[in-house]
Amino acid sequence: MIKISPSILSSDYGNLEKELKRMEDCGADMIHIDVMDGHFVPNITLGAPVVKCIRKACRLPFDVHLMISDPCKYIPDFAEAGADIITFHLEADCDAQKTVELIRSYNIKAGISVKPGTAIEEVFPYLDRLSMVLVMTVEPGFGGQSFMEDMMPKVRTLRAEAERRGLDIDIEVDGGINCDTIAKASEAGANVFVSGNAVFSSADPKKTIEQFRAKALG
Ligand code: DX5
Ligand code: ZN
């Protein structure tokens, strides 16, 4: 199932409630929340208290992308704040299996993300316990970067492995998604598409999301 997950990294942080409602009205399927700690990535965004405050602003699932060095320390806070999916990085300083089980212990969907330099096979040992794998198509840290098409073989390999195991897993791509790149990612096997800049800078985000969906469906 195709899902469009606008990233609030490119939204107006002074009007988050309005921005979330706007995305809901524009047909988004989820809200992608980029959490950065200034250590795992060279940028700082927001923490669980903000997630808790914006939880009441819209009904869409919160797709929380943790770009932080110590995910286990903060997962309980994000779970209690209302996250629906929590994705952490395989490159973070944690035991991945324990981290997946910690997320699942809150009845929340667990995801693992890989940076461009990490081989996709590294997530295979955890695949059976995951709802989603996030393949980064830019170096994490900032919005508005260019899509790395050379990540598509990773998406293909992952989709093939999921099918081989009979797993109905979401494959999310994040970074540089627009009307052109979404078709390439979808064709490779991705079905969840994060978009910051292209959606939030659009004069007509509803139309952009509709176009995304059409392009992703091929
Ligand atoms: C980057 C973030 C992305 C970012 C995507 O580290 O994980 O979610 O917001 O933004 P665009 O779509 O502008 O590349
Ligand atoms: Zn993200």
Side-chain angles (χ1 to χ4, degrees), residues 107-160:
N107 272 328
I108 289 173
K109 292 180 178 172
I112 290 183
S113 181
V114 287
K115 298 208 292 188
T118 302
I120 198 64
E121 289 77 6
E122 293 194 29
V123 302
F124 287 3
Y126 316 104
L127 219 48
D128 295 344
R129 301 291 288 162
L130 297 176
S131 298
M132 188 162 83
V133 175
L134 166 50
V135 178
M136 288 304 300
T137 44
V138 295
E139 282 298 338
F142 299 93
Q145 303 182 75
S146 299
F147 178 76
M148 297 168 77
E149 195 172 344
D150 53 344
M151 295 299 114
M152 293 307 96
K154 285 162 74 167
V155 174
R156 274 180 225 285
T157 302
L158 177 60
R159 182 55 79 198

Short mmCIF file of all heavy atoms in Angstrom, two decimals, residues 107-160:
data_model
loop_
_atom_site.label_atom_id
_atom_site.label_comp_id
_atom_site.label_asym_id
_atom_site.label_seq_id
_atom_site.Cartn_x
_atom_site.Cartn_y
_atom_site.Cartn_z
N ASN A 107 3.67 -1.63 22.07
CA ASN A 107 2.66 -1.84 21.03
C ASN A 107 2.76 -0.82 19.90
O ASN A 107 1.75 -0.35 19.38
CB ASN A 107 1.24 -1.81 21.61
CG ASN A 107 0.84 -3.17 22.08
OD1 ASN A 107 1.26 -4.18 21.49
ND2 ASN A 107 0.04 -3.21 23.14
N ILE A 108 3.98 -0.49 19.59
CA ILE A 108 4.26 0.48 18.54
C ILE A 108 5.03 -0.26 17.45
O ILE A 108 5.80 -1.19 17.74
CB ILE A 108 5.09 1.65 19.12
CG1 ILE A 108 4.20 2.49 20.04
CG2 ILE A 108 5.71 2.52 18.05
CD1 ILE A 108 4.94 3.54 20.78
N LYS A 109 4.80 0.16 16.20
CA LYS A 109 5.52 -0.47 15.09
C LYS A 109 6.99 -0.06 15.12
O LYS A 109 7.31 1.11 15.35
CB LYS A 109 4.90 -0.05 13.76
CG LYS A 109 3.52 -0.61 13.56
CD LYS A 109 2.96 -0.16 12.23
CE LYS A 109 1.59 -0.78 12.00
NZ LYS A 109 0.94 -0.23 10.82
N ALA A 110 7.86 -1.04 14.86
CA ALA A 110 9.30 -0.77 14.90
C ALA A 110 9.89 -0.71 13.49
O ALA A 110 9.55 -1.52 12.63
CB ALA A 110 10.01 -1.85 15.71
N GLY A 111 10.76 0.27 13.29
CA GLY A 111 11.46 0.40 12.02
C GLY A 111 12.95 0.59 12.25
O GLY A 111 13.37 1.08 13.30
N ILE A 112 13.74 0.15 11.28
CA ILE A 112 15.19 0.41 11.31
C ILE A 112 15.54 1.16 10.05
O ILE A 112 15.02 0.87 8.96
CB ILE A 112 16.01 -0.90 11.39
CG1 ILE A 112 15.84 -1.55 12.77
CG2 ILE A 112 17.50 -0.62 11.13
CD1 ILE A 112 16.69 -2.82 12.98
N SER A 113 16.42 2.16 10.21
CA SER A 113 16.88 2.95 9.06
C SER A 113 18.36 2.71 8.82
O SER A 113 19.12 2.46 9.76
CB SER A 113 16.64 4.44 9.33
OG SER A 113 17.06 5.19 8.21
N VAL A 114 18.73 2.80 7.54
CA VAL A 114 20.15 2.71 7.19
C VAL A 114 20.59 3.95 6.43
O VAL A 114 19.88 4.43 5.54
CB VAL A 114 20.49 1.44 6.36
CG1 VAL A 114 20.45 0.20 7.24
CG2 VAL A 114 19.58 1.27 5.16
N LYS A 115 21.74 4.45 6.79
CA LYS A 115 22.35 5.59 6.09
C LYS A 115 22.86 5.10 4.73
O LYS A 115 23.04 3.88 4.52
CB LYS A 115 23.52 6.15 6.91
CG LYS A 115 23.09 6.68 8.26
CD LYS A 115 24.01 7.79 8.78
CE LYS A 115 25.37 7.36 9.15
NZ LYS A 115 26.15 8.44 9.82
N PRO A 116 23.15 6.03 3.82
CA PRO A 116 23.59 5.61 2.48
C PRO A 116 24.80 4.67 2.48
O PRO A 116 24.90 3.79 1.63
CB PRO A 116 23.91 6.94 1.80
CG PRO A 116 22.94 7.90 2.43
CD PRO A 116 22.88 7.48 3.88
N GLY A 117 25.71 4.80 3.44
CA GLY A 117 26.91 3.97 3.43
C GLY A 117 26.75 2.59 4.04
O GLY A 117 27.70 1.80 4.05
N THR A 118 25.57 2.28 4.56
CA THR A 118 25.37 0.99 5.23
C THR A 118 24.71 -0.02 4.29
O THR A 118 23.71 0.31 3.63
CB THR A 118 24.49 1.19 6.49
OG1 THR A 118 25.13 2.14 7.34
CG2 THR A 118 24.26 -0.10 7.25
N ALA A 119 25.25 -1.21 4.26
CA ALA A 119 24.69 -2.26 3.38
C ALA A 119 23.32 -2.69 3.91
O ALA A 119 23.12 -2.82 5.12
CB ALA A 119 25.62 -3.47 3.36
N ILE A 120 22.40 -2.92 3.00
CA ILE A 120 21.03 -3.28 3.39
C ILE A 120 20.97 -4.65 4.07
O ILE A 120 20.12 -4.90 4.93
CB ILE A 120 20.07 -3.20 2.18
CG1 ILE A 120 18.62 -3.13 2.65
CG2 ILE A 120 20.28 -4.34 1.19
CD1 ILE A 120 18.24 -1.92 3.44
N GLU A 121 21.93 -5.50 3.73
CA GLU A 121 21.95 -6.85 4.33
C GLU A 121 22.10 -6.77 5.85
O GLU A 121 21.75 -7.70 6.56
CB GLU A 121 23.10 -7.69 3.73
CG GLU A 121 22.88 -8.12 2.29
CD GLU A 121 23.13 -7.02 1.26
OE1 GLU A 121 23.60 -5.91 1.62
OE2 GLU A 121 22.84 -7.26 0.07
N GLU A 122 22.61 -5.65 6.35
CA GLU A 122 22.79 -5.52 7.80
C GLU A 122 21.46 -5.49 8.57
O GLU A 122 21.43 -5.71 9.77
CB GLU A 122 23.65 -4.29 8.12
CG GLU A 122 25.08 -4.49 7.64
CD GLU A 122 26.05 -3.48 8.21
OE1 GLU A 122 25.82 -3.01 9.33
OE2 GLU A 122 27.03 -3.17 7.52
N VAL A 123 20.36 -5.19 7.89
CA VAL A 123 19.06 -5.21 8.60
C VAL A 123 18.41 -6.60 8.54
O VAL A 123 17.45 -6.85 9.27
CB VAL A 123 18.02 -4.17 8.08
CG1 VAL A 123 18.54 -2.76 8.16
CG2 VAL A 123 17.54 -4.48 6.69
N PHE A 124 18.93 -7.48 7.71
CA PHE A 124 18.28 -8.78 7.52
C PHE A 124 18.07 -9.57 8.82
O PHE A 124 17.03 -10.21 9.00
CB PHE A 124 19.02 -9.64 6.48
CG PHE A 124 18.85 -9.16 5.05
CD1 PHE A 124 18.12 -8.01 4.76
CD2 PHE A 124 19.41 -9.86 3.99
CE1 PHE A 124 17.96 -7.57 3.45
CE2 PHE A 124 19.24 -9.43 2.68
CZ PHE A 124 18.52 -8.29 2.41
N PRO A 125 19.04 -9.53 9.76
CA PRO A 125 18.82 -10.32 10.99
C PRO A 125 17.60 -9.87 11.80
O PRO A 125 17.10 -10.63 12.63
CB PRO A 125 20.11 -10.08 11.80
CG PRO A 125 21.12 -9.64 10.81
CD PRO A 125 20.37 -8.92 9.73
N TYR A 126 17.11 -8.65 11.56
CA TYR A 126 16.01 -8.10 12.37
C TYR A 126 14.68 -8.07 11.62
O TYR A 126 13.64 -7.71 12.18
CB TYR A 126 16.37 -6.67 12.83
CG TYR A 126 17.79 -6.58 13.32
CD1 TYR A 126 18.79 -6.01 12.55
CD2 TYR A 126 18.14 -7.15 14.55
CE1 TYR A 126 20.11 -5.98 12.97
CE2 TYR A 126 19.46 -7.12 14.99
CZ TYR A 126 20.43 -6.54 14.19
OH TYR A 126 21.73 -6.52 14.62
N LEU A 127 14.73 -8.40 10.33
CA LEU A 127 13.60 -8.18 9.43
C LEU A 127 12.27 -8.77 9.92
O LEU A 127 11.23 -8.12 9.82
CB LEU A 127 13.95 -8.79 8.06
CG LEU A 127 13.53 -8.04 6.81
CD1 LEU A 127 13.89 -6.57 6.86
CD2 LEU A 127 14.18 -8.69 5.58
N ASP A 128 12.33 -9.96 10.48
CA ASP A 128 11.10 -10.63 10.90
C ASP A 128 10.36 -9.88 12.01
O ASP A 128 9.17 -10.11 12.21
CB ASP A 128 11.40 -12.07 11.38
CG ASP A 128 11.94 -12.94 10.25
OD1 ASP A 128 11.80 -12.55 9.08
OD2 ASP A 128 12.52 -14.00 10.55
N ARG A 129 11.05 -9.02 12.73
CA ARG A 129 10.44 -8.31 13.86
C ARG A 129 10.11 -6.86 13.51
O ARG A 129 9.69 -6.08 14.37
CB ARG A 129 11.38 -8.33 15.07
CG ARG A 129 11.74 -9.71 15.56
CD ARG A 129 10.58 -10.45 16.19
NE ARG A 129 10.21 -9.93 17.49
CZ ARG A 129 9.04 -10.17 18.08
NH1 ARG A 129 8.14 -10.91 17.47
NH2 ARG A 129 8.76 -9.66 19.27
N LEU A 130 10.32 -6.48 12.24
CA LEU A 130 10.13 -5.08 11.85
C LEU A 130 8.86 -4.86 11.04
O LEU A 130 8.46 -5.72 10.26
CB LEU A 130 11.32 -4.61 10.99
CG LEU A 130 12.69 -4.59 11.66
CD1 LEU A 130 13.76 -4.20 10.63
CD2 LEU A 130 12.71 -3.62 12.84
N SER A 131 8.25 -3.68 11.22
CA SER A 131 7.12 -3.28 10.37
C SER A 131 7.62 -2.49 9.17
O SER A 131 6.94 -2.43 8.15
CB SER A 131 6.15 -2.39 11.16
OG SER A 131 5.62 -3.09 12.24
N MET A 132 8.78 -1.86 9.36
CA MET A 132 9.25 -0.97 8.30
C MET A 132 10.78 -0.91 8.27
O MET A 132 11.42 -1.04 9.31
CB MET A 132 8.68 0.44 8.56
CG MET A 132 8.93 1.42 7.43
SD MET A 132 7.83 2.85 7.54
CE MET A 132 8.72 3.86 8.72
N VAL A 133 11.32 -0.73 7.08
CA VAL A 133 12.75 -0.42 6.93
C VAL A 133 12.81 0.89 6.16
O VAL A 133 12.13 1.06 5.15
CB VAL A 133 13.52 -1.52 6.18
CG1 VAL A 133 14.97 -1.10 5.95
CG2 VAL A 133 13.48 -2.84 6.96
N LEU A 134 13.61 1.81 6.68
CA LEU A 134 13.77 3.12 6.05
C LEU A 134 15.13 3.19 5.37
O LEU A 134 16.18 3.13 6.04
CB LEU A 134 13.63 4.22 7.12
CG LEU A 134 14.07 5.65 6.79
CD1 LEU A 134 13.49 6.13 5.48
CD2 LEU A 134 13.66 6.58 7.91
N VAL A 135 15.10 3.27 4.06
CA VAL A 135 16.34 3.39 3.29
C VAL A 135 16.56 4.88 3.01
O VAL A 135 15.80 5.50 2.27
CB VAL A 135 16.23 2.59 1.96
CG1 VAL A 135 17.50 2.76 1.13
CG2 VAL A 135 15.97 1.11 2.23
N MET A 136 17.60 5.43 3.63
CA MET A 136 17.88 6.87 3.42
C MET A 136 18.38 7.09 2.00
O MET A 136 19.28 6.39 1.52
CB MET A 136 18.94 7.36 4.41
CG MET A 136 18.48 7.48 5.85
SD MET A 136 17.04 8.52 6.15
CE MET A 136 17.58 10.12 5.55
N THR A 137 17.79 8.09 1.35
CA THR A 137 18.22 8.43 -0.01
C THR A 137 18.94 9.77 -0.05
O THR A 137 19.13 10.35 -1.11
CB THR A 137 17.00 8.40 -0.97
OG1 THR A 137 15.89 9.07 -0.34
CG2 THR A 137 16.58 6.98 -1.29
N VAL A 138 19.34 10.24 1.15
CA VAL A 138 20.29 11.35 1.33
C VAL A 138 21.05 11.04 2.62
O VAL A 138 20.62 10.18 3.39
CB VAL A 138 19.59 12.74 1.49
CG1 VAL A 138 18.83 13.14 0.23
CG2 VAL A 138 18.68 12.77 2.72
N GLU A 139 22.13 11.77 2.86
CA GLU A 139 22.78 11.67 4.18
C GLU A 139 21.84 12.35 5.16
O GLU A 139 21.42 13.49 4.93
CB GLU A 139 24.14 12.38 4.18
CG GLU A 139 25.26 11.61 3.53
CD GLU A 139 25.59 10.27 4.19
OE1 GLU A 139 25.26 10.07 5.37
OE2 GLU A 139 26.17 9.42 3.50
N PRO A 140 21.48 11.67 6.27
CA PRO A 140 20.52 12.29 7.19
C PRO A 140 21.05 13.58 7.82
O PRO A 140 22.26 13.73 8.01
CB PRO A 140 20.31 11.21 8.25
CG PRO A 140 21.46 10.28 8.12
CD PRO A 140 21.91 10.35 6.70
N GLY A 141 20.14 14.47 8.12
CA GLY A 141 20.50 15.72 8.82
C GLY A 141 19.77 16.95 8.32
O GLY A 141 19.45 17.83 9.11
N PHE A 142 19.51 16.98 7.02
CA PHE A 142 18.91 18.20 6.47
C PHE A 142 17.91 17.87 5.36
O PHE A 142 18.10 16.89 4.63
CB PHE A 142 20.00 19.12 5.90
CG PHE A 142 20.98 19.56 6.95
CD1 PHE A 142 22.15 18.84 7.17
CD2 PHE A 142 20.71 20.66 7.77
CE1 PHE A 142 23.04 19.21 8.17
CE2 PHE A 142 21.58 21.04 8.78
CZ PHE A 142 22.76 20.31 8.99
N GLY A 143 16.91 18.73 5.24
CA GLY A 143 15.96 18.61 4.14
C GLY A 143 16.55 19.27 2.90
O GLY A 143 17.61 19.90 2.95
N GLY A 144 15.84 19.11 1.80
CA GLY A 144 16.21 19.82 0.57
C GLY A 144 17.43 19.31 -0.17
O GLY A 144 17.98 20.01 -1.01
N GLN A 145 17.88 18.09 0.12
CA GLN A 145 19.05 17.53 -0.59
C GLN A 145 18.57 16.71 -1.81
O GLN A 145 17.39 16.41 -1.95
CB GLN A 145 19.85 16.63 0.34
CG GLN A 145 20.34 17.29 1.63
CD GLN A 145 21.16 16.31 2.45
OE1 GLN A 145 22.31 16.01 2.13
NE2 GLN A 145 20.57 15.79 3.52
N SER A 146 19.55 16.34 -2.66
CA SER A 146 19.19 15.59 -3.87
C SER A 146 19.12 14.08 -3.62
O SER A 146 19.96 13.51 -2.92
CB SER A 146 20.23 15.83 -4.96
OG SER A 146 20.24 17.19 -5.28
N PHE A 147 18.12 13.49 -4.21
CA PHE A 147 17.86 12.04 -4.15
C PHE A 147 19.06 11.24 -4.68
O PHE A 147 19.57 11.53 -5.76
CB PHE A 147 16.63 11.78 -5.03
CG PHE A 147 16.20 10.36 -5.16
CD1 PHE A 147 15.51 9.72 -4.13
CD2 PHE A 147 16.42 9.67 -6.35
CE1 PHE A 147 15.07 8.41 -4.28
CE2 PHE A 147 15.98 8.35 -6.50
CZ PHE A 147 15.30 7.73 -5.46
N MET A 148 19.47 10.23 -3.93
CA MET A 148 20.58 9.37 -4.36
C MET A 148 20.00 8.14 -5.05
O MET A 148 19.61 7.16 -4.39
CB MET A 148 21.43 8.96 -3.15
CG MET A 148 22.08 10.16 -2.45
SD MET A 148 22.77 9.74 -0.83
CE MET A 148 24.26 8.90 -1.32
N GLU A 149 19.99 8.19 -6.35
CA GLU A 149 19.39 7.09 -7.11
C GLU A 149 20.16 5.78 -6.91
O GLU A 149 19.61 4.68 -7.05
CB GLU A 149 19.33 7.46 -8.60
CG GLU A 149 18.41 6.54 -9.37
CD GLU A 149 18.17 6.98 -10.81
OE1 GLU A 149 18.46 8.15 -11.14
OE2 GLU A 149 17.71 6.14 -11.59
N ASP A 150 21.44 5.92 -6.56
CA ASP A 150 22.25 4.70 -6.37
C ASP A 150 21.86 3.91 -5.11
O ASP A 150 22.45 2.87 -4.84
CB ASP A 150 23.75 5.03 -6.40
CG ASP A 150 24.14 6.13 -5.44
OD1 ASP A 150 23.25 6.86 -4.97
OD2 ASP A 150 25.33 6.26 -5.14
N MET A 151 20.86 4.40 -4.38
CA MET A 151 20.34 3.61 -3.25
C MET A 151 19.27 2.62 -3.70
O MET A 151 18.84 1.75 -2.94
CB MET A 151 19.72 4.54 -2.18
CG MET A 151 20.70 5.46 -1.50
SD MET A 151 21.98 4.52 -0.62
CE MET A 151 23.42 4.96 -1.56
N MET A 152 18.83 2.74 -4.96
CA MET A 152 17.72 1.88 -5.42
C MET A 152 18.04 0.39 -5.43
O MET A 152 17.15 -0.43 -5.13
CB MET A 152 17.21 2.36 -6.79
CG MET A 152 16.53 3.72 -6.77
SD MET A 152 15.20 3.84 -5.52
CE MET A 152 16.03 4.60 -4.13
N PRO A 153 19.29 -0.01 -5.71
CA PRO A 153 19.58 -1.45 -5.61
C PRO A 153 19.34 -1.98 -4.19
O PRO A 153 18.93 -3.14 -4.02
CB PRO A 153 21.06 -1.53 -6.00
CG PRO A 153 21.27 -0.36 -6.92
CD PRO A 153 20.40 0.73 -6.35
N LYS A 154 19.55 -1.13 -3.16
CA LYS A 154 19.29 -1.56 -1.79
C LYS A 154 17.79 -1.83 -1.60
O LYS A 154 17.39 -2.80 -0.94
CB LYS A 154 19.74 -0.48 -0.79
CG LYS A 154 21.25 -0.43 -0.63
CD LYS A 154 21.75 0.86 0.00
CE LYS A 154 21.49 1.00 1.46
NZ LYS A 154 22.26 2.12 2.05
N VAL A 155 16.98 -0.95 -2.16
CA VAL A 155 15.53 -1.12 -2.05
C VAL A 155 15.10 -2.41 -2.75
O VAL A 155 14.31 -3.20 -2.22
CB VAL A 155 14.79 0.11 -2.64
CG1 VAL A 155 13.28 -0.12 -2.67
CG2 VAL A 155 15.13 1.38 -1.86
N ARG A 156 15.66 -2.64 -3.93
CA ARG A 156 15.33 -3.87 -4.69
C ARG A 156 15.71 -5.14 -3.92
O ARG A 156 14.93 -6.08 -3.82
CB ARG A 156 16.10 -3.90 -6.02
CG ARG A 156 15.43 -3.16 -7.13
CD ARG A 156 16.28 -3.24 -8.41
NE ARG A 156 16.34 -1.93 -9.01
CZ ARG A 156 15.34 -1.37 -9.67
NH1 ARG A 156 14.23 -2.04 -9.85
NH2 ARG A 156 15.45 -0.15 -10.16
N THR A 157 16.93 -5.11 -3.37
CA THR A 157 17.42 -6.27 -2.61
C THR A 157 16.53 -6.54 -1.40
O THR A 157 16.18 -7.68 -1.10
CB THR A 157 18.87 -6.01 -2.15
OG1 THR A 157 19.66 -5.75 -3.31
CG2 THR A 157 19.46 -7.17 -1.38
N LEU A 158 16.15 -5.46 -0.73
CA LEU A 158 15.31 -5.58 0.46
C LEU A 158 13.93 -6.11 0.10
O LEU A 158 13.40 -7.01 0.78
CB LEU A 158 15.22 -4.21 1.13
CG LEU A 158 14.32 -4.08 2.35
CD1 LEU A 158 14.78 -5.00 3.47
CD2 LEU A 158 14.31 -2.63 2.83
N ARG A 159 13.34 -5.59 -0.95
CA ARG A 159 12.00 -6.06 -1.35
C ARG A 159 12.06 -7.54 -1.73
O ARG A 159 11.18 -8.33 -1.34
CB ARG A 159 11.46 -5.20 -2.51
CG ARG A 159 10.07 -5.56 -2.96
CD ARG A 159 9.04 -5.54 -1.82
NE ARG A 159 8.58 -4.21 -1.46
CZ ARG A 159 7.96 -3.93 -0.30
NH1 ARG A 159 7.76 -4.88 0.61
NH2 ARG A 159 7.57 -2.71 -0.03
N ALA A 160 13.12 -7.93 -2.43
CA ALA A 160 13.25 -9.34 -2.82
C ALA A 160 13.37 -10.23 -1.59
O ALA A 160 12.75 -11.30 -1.52
CB ALA A 160 14.46 -9.51 -3.74
#
